Amino acid sequence: MTRPLRFSIRSYGCQMNVYDAQRMGEALAAAGHRPVDDDAPADVRVFNTCHIREKAAEKVYSDIGRIVAEARARGEPRPLIVVAGCTAQAEGEELARRAPAVDVIVGPQAYHRLPELVGRARTSPGVVLDLDMPAEPKFRHLPPRAPRAAPSSFLTVQEGCDKFCTFCVVPYTRGAEASRPVEDVLAEARALLAAGARELVLLGQNVNAWARPGTDFAGLLAAVAALPGLERLRYTTSHPRDVTPSLIHAHAAVPQLMPFLHLPVQSGSDRILTAMNRRHTAADYRETVARLRAARPDLALSSDFIVGFPGESEEDFEATLALVEEVGFAQAYSFRYSPRPGTPAADRPDQVPEAVKAERLGRLQALLSAQQYAFNRACLGRVTEVLVERPGRHRGQWTGRSPWGQAVVVEADLSPGALVEVELAQAGPHSLVGRPTGRVR
Ligand code: SF4
């Protein structure tokens, strides 16, 4: 075999891309290649792209340009360049035309073939393209999980989406909804727990749409929660329409399921929700939240919001602010509407001016930040456990997550994976300080 290649993977966008980058790294390592840090010299640079907004999609082009320029400046041959992920799937040959330096373009459903594609690119001229969406899922062709796992590890259980929201590219870049078999999910979960994970985050573009014959998503959560060694369980990203009574019951009945839920609503206006093809109303969302909170009173909610969707009036936007005021969010992600090629909303004539989007986003984010800070302050004095994930900014400090998804800084002699009991002693807008009680497990 030729000399092992040094490779780095840079991932943009969502948790699922982080998971895919881990699996691509494992596939290249299993083929004998060696992972290096993003800023270390490498023979192969992999860019795992996000296509959700224009800014994210354009980022890869500037990064590729820099890699090529740096190699030219050093008078060295440039590394082999791989573009993976959703922009690869969406733009394919257009990407090859815009960035002739790219050697491999591979979609999210074909990256199990990455070692072979890299091999072909090294021996044949021209770009190697693989945007296949094979009938048989890639998971069956990926090597076992790496022997070391992060304390909180991602585990993809569902992919794709059949909802076709009019602003979204995911159904086109990730394909139709597909749920992994229970036994495959449990096998990978056991491997991650054996490798040191204590918390698992089940991932899917529409994770709560996961279903297999005889088992619904609540059933999968219960099965994963029962695994020895699992301390905490989370899942993301959900759709309000797939929050079933059994899932709501799971939030009351499964102790390992953390009291934090990311449930995107996007807008508080029924007129805009209809135009987005979300197929639920703001009242439906409020009702779902009320039932979840009845099941788990300390549930912390997070959500996604889009401002400036085509046709959005000031009145529509006020409806979003009113929903936010009423529901109250512990965390949230909010963005200006970004027209995506190939999505129905991009062609609408009633696009909202950027200045109006910016002004509305400012008002929304001010409200959301105030709610996040208020939620953190309301948690002061609570005694709870923090799962330590990594060293903090200062010596002797560690950071991790509370059950409610908050970042918590703890000063003590700890290590990644420790579950440290703390009293939440100081609250900031985006994080808290935990005072250890002495109990660690
Ligand atoms: S449900 Fe989510 S992933 Fe699916 S189309 Fe809508 S926004 Fe995109």
Side-chain angles (χ1 to χ4, degrees):
M1 192 190 96
T2 54
R3 170 177 69 78
L5 300 172
R6 299 160 300 171
F7 69 88
S8 72
I9 303 181
R10 182 178 300 181
S11 201
Y12 313 82
C14 66
Q15 293 105 327
M16 191 168 284
N17 258 11
V18 174
Y19 174 88
D20 288 342
Q22 290 167 352
R23 300 311 307 262
M24 282 190 259
E26 289 161 357
L28 288 170
H33 304 305
R34 185 164 60 81
V36 294
D37 288 341
D38 201 31
D39 52 5
D43 306 301
V44 181
R45 296 260 186 230
V46 180
F47 296 97
N48 189 29
T49 57
C50 169
H51 203 61
I52 207 80
R53 275 173 291 280
E54 187 178 1
K55 198 162 157 230
E58 289 300 308
K59 188 106 185 44
V60 69
Y61 291 103
S62 56
D63 286 349
I64 291 169
R66 199 177 29 261
I67 297 282
V68 172
E70 283 167 4
R72 195 175 296 131
R74 282 196 303 268
E76 291 168 4
R78 66 167 175 73
L80 194 137
I81 295 174
V82 175
V83 177
C86 291
T87 301
Q89 188 72 40
E91 298 195 348
E93 277 153 19
E94 169 59 16
L95 196 156
R97 193 189 59 71
R98 278 188 62 187
V102 174
D103 302 287
V104 175
I105 298 174
V106 57
Q109 306 309 348
Y111 68 66
H112 54 294
R113 301 180 188 138
L114 190 53
E116 173 216 327
L117 300 174
V118 165
R120 271 172 44 203
R122 297 187 72 215
T123 53
S124 55
V127 65
V128 173
L129 205 71
D130 191 339
L131 303 178
D132 191 16
M133 290 199 176
E136 195 176 52
K138 58 176 178 263
F139 298 102
R140 293 280 163 89
H141 303 282
L142 286 166
R145 297 309 317 257
R148 283 196 56 202
S152 175
S153 286
F154 294 141
L155 171 39
T156 290
V157 299
Q158 183 271 348
E159 280 200 286
C161 185
D162 300 341
K163 303 255 181 329
F164 290 92
C165 300
T166 55
F167 54 83
C168 186
V169 294
V170 170
Y172 313 100
T173 59
R174 292 270 177 173
E177 282 174 15
S179 299
R180 294 182 67 190
V182 178
E183 55 282 1
D184 290 13
V185 171
L186 294 179
E188 189 171 334
R190 286 191 196 94
L192 289 166
L193 294 168
R198 301 192 81 182
E199 174 178 278
L200 294 178
V201 184
L202 305 188
L203 299 180
Q205 269 90 29
N206 249 335
V207 70
N208 57 340
W210 182 98
R212 294 290 296 194
T215 314
D216 67 1
F217 187 55
L220 180 69
L221 289 172
V224 174
L227 292 173
L230 184 117
E231 297 287 346
R232 295 176 156 196
L233 186 56
R234 302 180 190 271
Y235 62 89
T236 196
T237 296
S238 301
H239 193 288
R241 278 191 14 243
D242 296 311
V243 177
T244 59
S246 63
L247 181 54
I248 292 173
H249 177 68
H251 278 277
V254 179
Q256 296 88 345
L257 193 52
M258 292 291 103
F260 176 83
L261 176 61
H262 183 61
L263 191 63
V265 68
Q266 309 296 357
S267 171
S269 153
D270 288 349
R271 205 174 67 85
I272 296 299
L273 288 170
T274 304
M276 287 177 164
N277 192 32
R278 296 290 286 176
R279 288 195 273 143
H280 68 79
T281 64
D284 295 335
Y285 188 83
R286 288 181 169 95
E287 163 69 19
T288 299
V289 167
R291 290 165 53 212
L292 283 160
R293 285 183 165 154
R296 183 73 201 236
D298 67 332
L299 186 75
L301 264 185
S302 168
S303 195
D304 290 343
F305 296 90
I306 292 175
V307 301
F309 184 82
E312 184 189 72
S313 65
E314 178 58 24
E315 197 191 342
D316 294 317
F317 179 64
E318 295 285 342
T320 298
L321 293 178
L323 179 137
V324 171
E325 289 272 14
E326 189 186 322
V327 170
F329 292 94
Q331 290 178 32
Y333 305 87
S334 50
F335 308 93
R336 290 185 242 185
Y337 169 70
S338 170
R340 303 309 294 132
T343 60
D347 304 327
R348 286 182 52 141
D350 48 358
Q351 301 291 326
V352 174
E354 288 302 321
V356 175
K357 291 181 191 172
E359 189 276 331
R360 287 178 184 166
L361 187 63
R363 278 190 277 156
L364 177 61
Q365 289 183 338
L367 174 58
L368 291 168
S369 299
Q371 287 194 342
Q372 180 170 0
Y373 194 7
F375 179 78
N376 288 347
R377 285 199 306 273
C379 292
L380 286 174
R382 287 186 189 178
V383 173
T384 186
E385 281 189 327
V386 169
L387 175 62
V388 175
E389 292 183 39
R390 62 185 64 81
R393 207 174 295 158
H394 305 296
R395 206 178 156 74
Q397 278 188 343
W398 293 87
T399 67
R401 298 261 161 205
S402 76
W404 305 282
Q406 301 144 309
V408 181
V409 177
V410 184
E411 210 153 298
D413 180 16
L414 297 164
S415 56
L419 276 162
V420 56
E421 187 183 70
V422 301
E423 180 190 340
L424 297 176
Q426 288 169 38
H430 305 296
S431 65
L432 295 103
V433 173
R435 187 183 307 125
T437 66
R439 282 163 48 88
V440 182
R441 61 187 181 94

